[in-house]
Amino acid sequence: MAVIEIEGASKDFTLHNQGGAAIPVMAGARLDVGAGECVALTGASGAGKSTLMRMVYGNYLARAGRIGVCGVDVARAAPREILALRRDRLGYVSQFLRVVPRVPTLEVVAEPLLRVGTERDAALERARGLLARLNLPERLWSLSPTTFSGGEQQRVNIARGFAHAYPALLLDEPTASLDAGNREVVLTLVEEAKARGAAILGIFHDEAARARVCDREVDVGTFTPRAAA
Amino acid sequence: MSDGKSLQGFSQGLSKGLGPGGPLLSVEGVTKHYGARLGCADVSFDLWPGEVMGIVGESGSGKSTLLGCLSGQLAPDAGRVLYEMKDGLTDTAALGEGARRRLMRTDWAFVHQNPRDGLRMGVSAGGNVGERLMGTGAQHYGRIRGAALDWLGRVEIAADRIDDRPSAFSGGMQQRLQIARTLVTGPRLVFMDEPTGGLDVSVQARLLDLLRGLVREMGLSVIIVTHDLAVVRLLADRLMVMQGGHVVEQGLTDQVLDDPQHAYTQLLVASVLQA
């Protein structure tokens, strides 16, 4: 049984305040990601790559189908089941960092570990290790990342996403806005996660990165409903 | 560990350590009218230990009425509010007066929008915190003052302000003092009515950060009413949207805000001005 299993997933947006227009954006999506595997979502801009990722994370509601993650059907699960899933089994590195102002970077990165009950010292140690690997200057660790540059925020986001060893991990453009050195660190983190058995679903516009870490590609364009094409 | 089933088992074992098996609060069909006018209608939900539930809606949507019914300040016309006590889920309306007051003093807490409604303005900051502790039976002066000092520190009020009255504090400090007074007894369930309303944005951020830290540290369950979507995005796990006394949508906070299903929620989300 795969860690991530999508079968017949569909999605549409109904714009109630714009004449109730229903826009179908996805139909019959299907894919599997096994443990230790990295699968890339490909397709033209607007094909629905991010939409599908958000559906797997429970951020967008699926209209139909099954989205299994570690045995939980995200398309049907109650909010608290999805919260529990996100706490210990399903990680997500989005393109944007959203944090409370004032919380220091080190705490932002350690938070996922503290939430699963990791001892504080061990959590902070792991956070320091990741921030150091990602070349974030130590003088920034005690500051809130809200004022950091885009690339710095992206690295904080990645450190946070890789802090806990989630069995399933979603990566949305993890190497975007990074220099060559940090890109290499991120790709190594992805390879390490695969080696410990994580199932990874990702969007990588960086073709060389995709070729290096991804085992398969799934073209999301094949899930675009005909009516909308 | 490679297949989904064993992962799920592993996680269930893990989450057992994080909280007990049932809901802390169970709300069944709560309805309240003011004469012919509807306050809130047929509201039902379960709140689990450690969960933060946000309730949003515009003025007059019924969110404050609902909060009043849940926290025992208003009597609903219909429906029940059950709370997890020694003997399991207990109808809070059926509790005797003494038991109910004890609940309000110990297990439950209420944070008002206006700190003046939750503080004694003529009593010192330390007295405000200590008084609530004495209400639970604490008597040792040194220990009470020690706890008051500890809590002033946790809400970032300098120790040398302990003898000042809240009337000498800024709005943000007053709100932090109210939170210290509220949480000193170690409640399990906290009701909050627009806790960041009326504060400057910079002061709001500090308060939100503080609240989030305390909620996690103390494993609090919270029901927070606000009209500020940014507040619920940062604080609430789950979200309930009310309009005209009815719950029109509920779900995971980020899902409701990013993929709203109901016309009113779509309007609410689309109406937020981007800074």
Side-chain angles (χ1 to χ4, degrees), chain B residues 67-147:
Chain B
L67 194 69
C69 290
L70 300 179
S71 61
Q73 298 179 340
L74 293 171
D77 305 334
R80 299 195 304 167
V81 179
L82 306 168
Y83 179 68
E84 171 67 28
M85 295 177 79
K86 270 202 311 285
D87 306 319
L89 281 174
T90 307
D91 186 349
T92 51
L95 290 174
E97 188 55 29
R100 186 151 52 178
R101 287 172 74 155
R102 198 155 49 246
L103 191 66
M104 303 274 207
R105 273 204 309 265
T106 56
D107 259 30
W108 287 13
F110 198 104
V111 177
H112 298 266
Q113 171 172 10
N114 188 340
R116 286 165 184 274
D117 296 334
L119 291 173
R120 295 254 310 257
M121 299 305 284
V123 174
S124 71
N128 263 287
V129 180
E131 185 186 55
R132 171 131 165 132
L133 209 51
M134 287 192 286
T136 65
Q139 286 177 344
H140 187 281
Y141 175 78
R143 268 200 287 274
I144 292 172
R145 193 167 168 97

Side-chain angles (χ1 to χ4, degrees), chain A residues 3 11 13-14 16-17 58-61 70 80 82-83 86-89 98 100 102-103 111, chain B residues 4 8 11 14 18 48 51 156 206 209 212 216 233 237 252 254-255 258-259 261 263 266-267:
Chain A
V3 181
K11 170 76 193 157
F13 291 105
T14 303
H16 290 290
N17 300 301
N59 179 237
Y60 280 1
L61 280 181
C70 301
R80 59 184 301 271
I82 297 179
L83 289 168
R86 288 177 180 182
R87 184 169 52 226
D88 51 39
R89 286 155 288 167
R98 206 193 295 261
V100 190
R102 267 176 32 109
V103 178
E111 191 194 14
Chain B
Q8 193 182 17
S11 156
L14 195 72
L18 296 173
W48 298 73
E51 255 182 3
E156 303 172 8
R206 183 176 189 183
D209 164 28
R212 222 170 89 115
R216 174 146 21 91
R233 176 157 326 245
D237 303 307
L252 270 178
D254 61 283
Q255 181 265 302
D258 293 339
D259 187 17
Q261 305 294 305
Q266 292 185 356
L267 188 67

Side-chain angles (χ1 to χ4, degrees), chain A residues 17-76:
Chain A
N17 300 301
Q18 294 175 48
I23 304 171
V25 294
M26 191 167 295
R30 90 176 275 146
L31 64 85
D32 286 343
V33 188
E37 210 180 14
C38 179
V39 172
L41 296 178
T42 62
S45 177
K49 301 185 291 293
S50 290
T51 297
L52 188 55
M53 294 268 272
R54 284 165 171 258
M55 287 162 71
V56 175
Y57 197 58
N59 179 237
Y60 280 1
L61 280 181
R63 187 174 52 80
R66 200 188 106 82
I67 301 177
V69 180
C70 301
V72 176
D73 183 1
V74 175
R76 272 177 198 77

